[in-house]
Amino acid sequence: MTAERRAKVIAVANQKGGVGKTTSSVNLAAAVATKNKKVLIVDSDPQGNASSGVGLNIKNRKKHLYHVYTGETSVTDVLVKTQVKNLSVLPASIDLVATEIELVSSQSRERVLKELLQDVCPLFDYIFIDCPPSLGLLTVNALTASDSVLIPLQCEYFAMEGLAQLVSTIRSVKKSFNKDLYIEGLLLTMYDKRNRLTYQVADKIKEHFNDKVFKTVIPRNVRLSECPSHGQTISEYDSHSSGAKAYNSLANEFLRLQRN
């Protein structure tokens, strides 16, 4: 590991819930880790689903992201290595809800997470931040700390709903706090080849965002829905499932883009 290494930081964001945001954060990060890359998931969602999705029992942990925000502990003291080789997680719990309230009166409140991650950036190749389904201070902190944003979009009728607001927030953060922020790509999730609406929604999204849409799509897959309850990534739970193959393909596409 060289001293020059600095992790690329990617915020996985969409204020609309139920679009496969955490599923994509966890499984893309895990798939990239299998390509011999050092990867960290920052669970910035108070629901803590990314933490439990990689097998962590947050109730057994005394310190997590909230305590890092409050200065009670450091990021390195809270990091946990997961069952997946090369994959670590910075866990969260419901306490993180209080962070937004406490940040309101903080100086440089939008840049706190960026400062906190400075010490661990040299330890990883990629850091994926799983954002909460809102556009509050936790998400603004994630966007300010990130190099790029990955936006999961469900292939359903209301897919575009709220997207304009998210793009507007990204532009605001870019203008005020992070001039180099850009959209990594839009990821189509819950893709159902049997449903005509899926194709219509996909075409509409591609029409608006062109080459910003990942070629890989994530299918509707029962195994993907099941694996979080077992505390496993999809590659651990069922490596032969269509969901596992899709996230492996997405990891390959993502890494190719980094070389271009």
Side-chain angles (χ1 to χ4, degrees), residues 177-189:
F177 311 115
N178 185 359
K179 63 183 177 61
D180 297 321
L181 183 67
Y182 66 95
I183 294 176
E184 184 78 39
L186 285 82
L187 174 65
L188 301 179
T189 64

Side-chain angles (χ1 to χ4, degrees), residues 150-217:
L150 190 155
I151 306 171
L153 283 176
Q154 188 177 2
C155 285
E156 293 196 352
Y157 186 73
F158 293 111
M160 303 290 279
E161 190 181 69
L163 187 56
Q165 191 181 357
L166 175 59
V167 171
S168 175
T169 299
I170 292 169
R171 284 176 182 155
S172 295
V173 170
K174 184 180 173 74
K175 183 178 179 181
S176 303
F177 311 115
N178 185 359
K179 63 183 177 61
D180 297 321
L181 183 67
Y182 66 95
I183 294 176
E184 184 78 39
L186 285 82
L187 174 65
L188 301 179
T189 64
M190 302 179 194
Y191 197 94
D192 187 351
K193 292 180 179 179
R194 301 164 300 176
N195 190 332
R196 186 180 171 189
L197 180 62
T198 292
Y199 294 99
Q200 293 172 344
V201 171
D203 287 344
K204 189 174 182 182
I205 293 169
K206 289 172 184 174
E207 182 184 318
H208 281 271
F209 291 92
N210 302 314
D211 59 346
K212 280 294 180 185
V213 183
F214 283 103
K215 291 181 173 61
T216 304
V217 298

Side-chain angles (χ1 to χ4, degrees), residues 212-225:
K212 280 294 180 185
V213 183
F214 283 103
K215 291 181 173 61
T216 304
V217 298
I218 308 301
R220 279 197 175 278
N221 179 230
V222 174
R223 307 300 270 173
L224 268 177
S225 304

Side-chain angles (χ1 to χ4, degrees), residues 47-159:
Q47 296 176 87
N49 290 337
S51 303
S52 59
V54 291
L56 228 63
N57 185 343
I58 196 63
K59 292 177 183 176
N60 293 339
R61 305 208 63 81
K62 294 180 180 177
K63 303 286 186 182
H64 38 78
L65 183 56
Y66 168 75
H67 301 97
V68 178
Y69 264 112
T70 58
E72 293 176 53
T73 189
S74 68
V75 173
T76 49
D77 286 340
V78 182
L79 287 184
V80 183
K81 289 185 177 181
T82 73
Q83 305 160 105
V84 178
K85 186 181 177 183
N86 296 324
L87 181 65
S88 298
V89 63
L90 176 52
S93 80
I94 195 65
D95 290 354
L96 197 57
V97 169
T99 304
E100 292 211 319
I101 300 165
E102 293 172 22
L103 281 174
V104 169
S105 57
S106 299
Q107 193 173 13
S108 300
R109 60 190 183 185
E110 299 86 1
R111 295 184 171 90
V112 178
L113 184 60
K114 182 172 185 174
E115 292 298 320
L116 294 174
L117 292 179
Q118 291 303 310
D119 288 345
V120 295
C121 270
L123 305 177
F124 297 95
D125 296 301
Y126 297 101
I127 297 175
F128 291 90
I129 306 176
D130 185 40
C131 299
S134 69
L135 295 178
L137 267 175
L138 285 172
T139 296
V140 171
N141 263 268
L143 296 175
T144 303
S146 296
D147 296 294
S148 64
V149 193
L150 190 155
I151 306 171
L153 283 176
Q154 188 177 2
C155 285
E156 293 196 352
Y157 186 73
F158 293 111

